Amino acid sequence: MVGATHEVEYEQMLLSRHTFLSQRGGRGKDSVLERSAYILLSRIRLQGPMSIGELSDAFGLDASTLNRQTAAAMRAGFVERIPDPDGGMARKFRITEEGARVLDEDRERIVQSLDRVMSDWPEEDIAAFAAYLKRFNTDIERLGGRPWPRQ
């Protein structure tokens, strides 16, 4: 017998393929940000300026991966490198006005897509779904030791 956890696994796999919500070429046609840039900018915006080491710890990725991602974001004008505001030795990445603008535009497109997907859902169902997703994500973060800042 297949249990509920198997159903969660299957539905989560299907959810991960629905990248039309945020990505072009499989992404929303007007989207600007790659998935990794969207997540990177979201984290820096919530947490404030972060060094490569802090980003590596936050994402559980090696520094070379974060170096590539931040370099691409810098070339696009979405982040800038600044001295550590707290006086530390490592330079940090801060989201630029352009990065914030593009992030806001992409986020709004994603929200509009979700509104279309859930247009027939009662508001209480959407709120319950959001609460379950938050619980699911925070439990994953707790087990992985990498909590994500929330607004």
Side-chain angles (χ1 to χ4, degrees):
M1 178 176 165
V2 176
T5 305
H6 286 89
E7 290 181 42
V8 170
E9 179 279 328
Y10 188 76
E11 294 301 329
Q12 187 277 328
M13 180 272 300
L14 291 175
L15 180 62
S16 70
R17 76 182 177 92
H18 294 303
T19 57
F20 77 92
L21 293 172
S22 63
Q23 298 183 341
R24 97 180 127 208
R27 292 180 0 156
K29 62 181 180 207
D30 297 325
S31 180
V32 172
L33 295 172
E34 295 291 332
R35 179 182 171 273
S36 61
Y38 185 86
I39 295 169
L40 176 76
L41 294 178
S42 294
R43 181 67 184 244
I44 292 171
R45 175 184 259 174
L46 280 172
Q47 193 162 333
M50 297 178 74
S51 68
I52 288 290
E54 290 168 331
L55 289 166
S56 179
D57 289 344
F59 290 112
L61 298 171
D62 61 75
S64 64
T65 299
L66 271 304
N67 275 318
R68 284 190 300 275
Q69 290 180 3
T70 55
M74 281 182 58
R75 282 191 303 275
F78 299 149
V79 296
E80 61 188 348
R81 220 170 181 166
I82 62 167
D84 183 345
D86 298 323
M89 295 296 290
R91 295 181 53 84
K92 295 195 173 191
F93 293 93
R94 173 176 61 195
I95 191 170
T96 62
E97 285 184 29
E98 176 67 3
R101 183 189 67 74
V102 170
L103 179 62
D104 289 342
E105 288 176 0
D106 270 16
R107 180 162 287 140
E108 186 55 35
R109 275 190 280 279
I110 293 167
V111 169
Q112 288 172 4
S113 293
L114 290 168
D115 283 341
R116 284 193 307 275
V117 169
M118 297 183 285
S119 65
D120 295 335
W121 292 31
E123 190 64 33
E124 57 271 11
D125 285 359
I126 297 171
F129 184 59
Y132 280 125
L133 281 174
K134 181 178 181 180
R135 180 178 175 187
F136 184 74
N137 278 324
T138 55
D139 284 349
I140 290 170
E141 294 161 11
R142 178 182 47 79
L143 290 171
R146 290 189 175 89
W148 190 272
R150 289 187 164 68
Q151 300 173 355

